[in-house]
Amino acid sequence: MPSEAPNHVLEFPGGYTRSVGPVIGRFLSELRDGRLVGVRTQAGKVLFPPLEYDPDTGEAVTDEYVEVGPAGTVQSWSWVSRPLKVHPLDRPFAWALIQPDGADTALLHALDVGVLDEGADAPRFLKTGMRVRPKFRGRGKRAGSIGDIECFEPEVTMINAPSRLEYDLRGGRALDRFLEGVSQGKLIGHRCPVCEQVIVPMKGLCPKDGVPTTEEVEVADTGTVTTFAVNNLPDPRAPEVPFVSAYILLDGAGLTMLALVAGIPADQVRMGMRVKAAWKPREEWGKTMANIKWFEPLDEPDVPFDAIKDYL
């Protein structure tokens, strides 16, 4: 059997020292100071990293150095899901061709997109055209080499800014009267003199016929879910996530009312489901709809779709 070929190693103990010349020397010196600098060609292009000649014409470059970036654009990339020991990062990353602003050529460097488990696929936001910036090593750790850039990182495009808005609501006579009823444990609507539907919450006019409404009608705190949505973003009013917000046709009402539905897993809420208001303890009542925490399921048969199809 043929023997395996010997493994030849060429090593320079202490490293291999060579002169870099004025162009590359300027580039590396600027890197040490945390700047990206290219060089202009006779044709006016800015080469980055700089070369001593124009690769298109072979002519010597000018002595005009141009600061570029530091932000740049990813021209292409290749994903590394399982980094090797020799790689610059110990977690999945991308090799990317990055063209700094103001340059006409690109630099190949590591692009860090965040902490990912080994073997992870490239994240969706990683794409050609994304904007990135260099992450330089600390000032005392730079040595004038391409390694003075640890990696590139995506520019910040999204932030989570906590916000809060408080305001006093004055809803007019109709809403004030409705909330007064809620403070007494009643749900009061107005009957339209034309279509005779009961509008809850009362608005002072019928949204269908456009006529004033004054006749008060108390309706039940039970009703039927006509349609609903499952929400996966937290809401301080909801008991958990996911939660359901639903349009409920109260018994005796002619229009639906939007409210939370709880007391049942979100994936079990359904159209036609019968529900009842879950009131807070009476001592906590005020002139507010918060008196009703949410609506909970009733142990009653579902209402057929044909009976609610006009209220969707």
Side-chain angles (χ1 to χ4, degrees):
M1 295 179 62
S3 61
E4 293 184 0
N7 183 23
H8 296 286
V9 177
L10 179 64
E11 182 177 359
F12 293 89
Y16 176 72
T17 303
R18 71 180 183 90
S19 171
V20 295
V23 177
I24 303 303
R26 174 68 179 269
F27 167 67
L28 297 177
S29 296
E30 296 286 356
L31 277 184
R32 185 184 58 195
D33 292 335
R35 290 188 295 269
L36 306 182
V37 168
V39 67
R40 195 177 301 280
T41 68
Q42 301 288 346
K45 290 185 177 180
V46 176
L47 303 181
F48 179 86
L51 297 173
E52 296 171 342
Y53 61 91
D54 186 334
D56 294 331
T57 65
E59 294 181 311
V61 297
T62 70
D63 58 359
E64 180 183 354
Y65 294 91
V66 181
E67 185 170 354
V68 298
T73 303
V74 173
Q75 302 299 309
S76 63
W77 55 273
S78 179
W79 185 244
V80 180
S81 61
R82 299 183 184 277
L84 303 176
K85 290 182 179 180
V86 295
H87 281 150
L89 296 173
D90 60 359
R91 55 180 179 270
F93 71 98
W95 287 116
L97 276 175
I98 299 165
Q99 183 173 331
D101 297 345
D104 294 297
T105 55
L107 168 76
L108 178 66
H109 213 295
L111 174 57
D112 185 4
V113 294
V115 178
L116 297 170
D117 293 334
E118 184 176 356
D121 293 334
R124 280 200 218 171
F125 63 81
L126 174 57
K127 60 184 68 175
T128 298
M130 77 181 296
R131 300 284 295 167
V132 296
R133 284 179 174 269
K135 177 183 178 182
F136 285 96
R137 296 190 185 279
R139 186 65 177 86
K141 296 181 180 179
R142 298 181 207 152
S145 74
I146 193 62
D148 290 347
I149 301 176
E150 287 188 31
C151 60
F152 281 75
E153 297 175 321
E155 281 196 327
V156 176
T157 58
M158 300 279 289
I159 62 170
N160 184 357
S163 60
R164 178 180 175 84
L165 178 65
E166 294 186 13
Y167 57 92
D168 294 325
L169 173 65
R170 296 190 179 185
R173 286 178 294 180
L175 183 57
D176 187 68
R177 173 67 182 124
F178 173 74
L179 293 177
E180 182 182 346
V182 173
S183 71
Q184 300 167 3
K186 303 183 211 175
L187 298 175
I188 303 173
H190 270 170
R191 189 188 305 279
C192 172
V194 178
C195 65
E196 297 190 345
Q197 287 190 336
V198 177
I199 302 152
V200 183
M202 59 176 68
K203 304 178 185 298
L205 79 149
C206 176
K208 177 182 177 182
D209 299 298
V211 297
T213 55
T214 57
E215 181 187 350
E216 292 187 2
V217 180
E218 183 177 350
V219 299
D221 65 353
T222 56
T224 304
V225 173
T226 61
T227 186
F228 63 92
V230 177
N231 304 274
N232 290 287
L233 296 177
D235 188 301
R237 299 167 297 174
E240 60 185 1
V241 176
F243 68 93
V244 173
S245 53
Y247 280 98
I248 298 170
L249 182 65
L250 295 174
D251 296 339
L255 293 177
T256 56
M257 181 176 73
L258 182 64
L260 297 179
V261 173
I264 184 174
D267 61 359
Q268 294 182 25
V269 176
R270 56 201 179 273
M271 298 170 69
M273 187 176 74
R274 296 283 293 160
V275 292
K276 179 179 176 60
W279 294 83
K280 290 182 178 178
R282 193 176 186 93
E283 61 271 16
E284 298 180 17
W285 287 2
K287 207 170 180 180
T288 169
M289 273 302 291
N291 295 353
I292 298 176
K293 294 186 294 183
W294 47 71
F295 281 75
E296 297 178 335
L298 274 175
D299 186 17
E300 295 181 4
D302 289 358
V303 174
F305 177 76
D306 285 346
I308 59 172
K309 64 181 182 180
D310 295 331
Y311 300 96
L312 301 182

